[in-house]
Amino acid sequence: MKITTLLENKTTCDALRCEHGLSLYIETEKHNILFDSGASDAFWENARALGIDLAQVDIAFLSHAHNDHCGGLLTFLRGNRTAKVYLQKEAFGDYYVVTPTKCAFIGLDPKLHEYADRFVMAEGVTKLDEELTLFSGIRTHELLSEANATLREKVGGDYPRDTFRHEQDLLVTEHGKTVLFAGCAHSGIVNIINRAEDILGRAPDYVFAGFHLYNPSLGQSEPRALVDAVGERLRARKATRYVTGHCTGDDAYAWLHETLGDRLAYMATGTTFTI
């Protein structure tokens, strides 16, 4: 399995664009997979610069319906004419970021309704084949980040906190190794791994995910006590390695690295991992 970071908020090369967002290209024996599409067309341009033809992607997944992960979907659907895109059935909700100074829509572009025939609405656990299992329905609620507090769903005239019913996660298995892919892990990375273990019967070998321990709207990291508690739970999976990105935040990444050492890496734009 080969995993290439098409887009993240840091880059390994000045020739590649970076932005607050995520897009991964995953190659297995059976599939060429796109996982998220960043906030713009930057992921597509970076793929071209890296010699990757996204027109050949045969299946795509949207981790959740926030525009730093779905903003490039129109670009993808226009450039790739065949791949189905799997998303949660709640993905077209009215999702907002609400702070003392702004109230901004951050959901899926309504123009995407024109491509309804390309979408597969998922829920629960969906085993697509021997390589791919998609899941939602997180059952535990431990060590949740207060960085979620500014993320809301518009319901009538109110803006209650987002419950992240639109979030889903992907397990990719090849040659006995399983990788868990999560976008921002709004449901809590510890809880998502718990659910993955329920499905797999063991811990995943690798986790590629943002840990959402930083609030970009407020420019604040989560308290160190919470970050350290998450780190201890991750360290307890003694055989699991972690690769994280933009919504973890620089402070939290440094603190987690103290706990996890070389079991933690960063998926900057342009990095490639072979598993």
Side-chain angles (χ1 to χ4, degrees):
M1 192 186 315
K2 183 178 179 183
I3 302 153
T4 302
T5 309
L6 299 180
L7 187 81
E8 249 292 338
N9 71 335
K10 299 180 187 292
T11 182
T12 60
C13 172
D14 290 342
L16 298 175
R17 293 171 59 183
C18 57
E19 65 187 12
H20 181 82
L22 175 67
S23 182
L24 300 174
Y25 177 65
I26 308 159
E27 299 170 82
T28 69
E29 289 182 350
K30 294 182 177 294
H31 295 288
N32 295 319
I33 303 162
L34 182 71
F35 186 85
D36 287 347
S37 60
S40 69
D41 64 354
F43 81 104
W44 190 276
E45 292 187 12
N46 287 346
R48 184 178 296 142
L50 292 166
I52 295 169
D53 182 7
L54 294 181
Q56 301 305 310
V57 165
D58 64 279
I59 192 166
F61 299 93
L62 176 63
S63 67
H64 65 297
H66 288 163
N67 57 11
D68 55 333
H69 294 254
C70 66
L73 261 184
L74 276 172
T75 297
F76 176 71
L77 291 166
R78 290 165 178 165
N80 179 304
R81 303 298 182 90
T82 57
K84 295 289 188 181
V85 180
Y86 284 74
L87 40 76
Q88 281 291 293
K89 65 176 185 174
E90 306 289 345
F92 279 96
D94 285 334
Y95 302 111
Y96 283 75
V97 59
V98 178
T99 73
T101 59
K102 71 177 178 180
C103 177
F105 177 72
I106 57 169
L108 288 164
D109 188 330
K111 293 178 183 176
L112 288 165
H113 285 294
E114 299 171 15
Y115 294 89
D117 62 325
R118 299 282 300 277
F119 295 131
V120 179
M121 301 300 186
E123 60 180 317
V125 179
T126 305
K127 186 173 176 61
L128 301 173
D129 58 26
E130 64 271 26
E131 286 190 350
L132 307 178
T133 300
L134 189 63
F135 69 94
S136 59
I138 305 306
R139 296 173 175 175
T140 56
H141 306 282
E142 303 175 76
L143 300 175
L144 291 173
S145 171
E146 273 302 305
N148 286 331
T150 56
L151 300 171
R152 307 299 180 95
E153 180 178 4
K154 188 177 182 181
V155 180
D158 296 327
Y159 294 86
R161 286 179 64 155
D162 195 337
T163 60
F164 305 110
R165 294 171 298 162
H166 54 99
E167 188 171 59
Q168 60 184 5
D169 308 287
L170 178 67
L171 294 167
V172 182
T173 300
E174 187 176 44
H175 300 307
K177 297 286 187 183
T178 297
V179 182
L180 167 62
F181 294 93
C184 279
H186 289 292
S187 299
I189 191 60
V190 169
N191 304 308
I192 291 169
I193 295 173
N194 287 345
R195 184 71 178 117
E197 288 176 329
D198 289 343
I199 295 165
L200 282 173
R202 62 178 179 85
D205 299 284
Y206 287 80
V207 175
F208 280 69
F211 297 158
H212 202 62
L213 296 170
Y214 176 78
N215 188 324
S217 298
L218 301 178
Q220 295 176 351
S221 176
E222 287 296 278
R224 178 151 192 177
L226 174 63
V227 176
D228 286 347
V230 170
E232 289 299 329
R233 296 295 293 275
L234 299 182
R235 184 166 67 173
R237 276 86 175 184
K238 297 186 183 299
T240 303
R241 302 180 71 88
Y242 304 92
V243 186
T244 194
H246 70 281
C247 65
T248 298
D250 291 343
D251 288 344
Y253 181 82
W255 298 334
L256 288 169
H257 204 276
E258 291 179 17
T259 300
L260 295 166
D262 64 4
R263 291 172 57 196
L264 179 69
Y266 201 95
M267 51 176 151
T269 303
T271 50
T272 298
F273 301 84
T274 301
I275 295 170

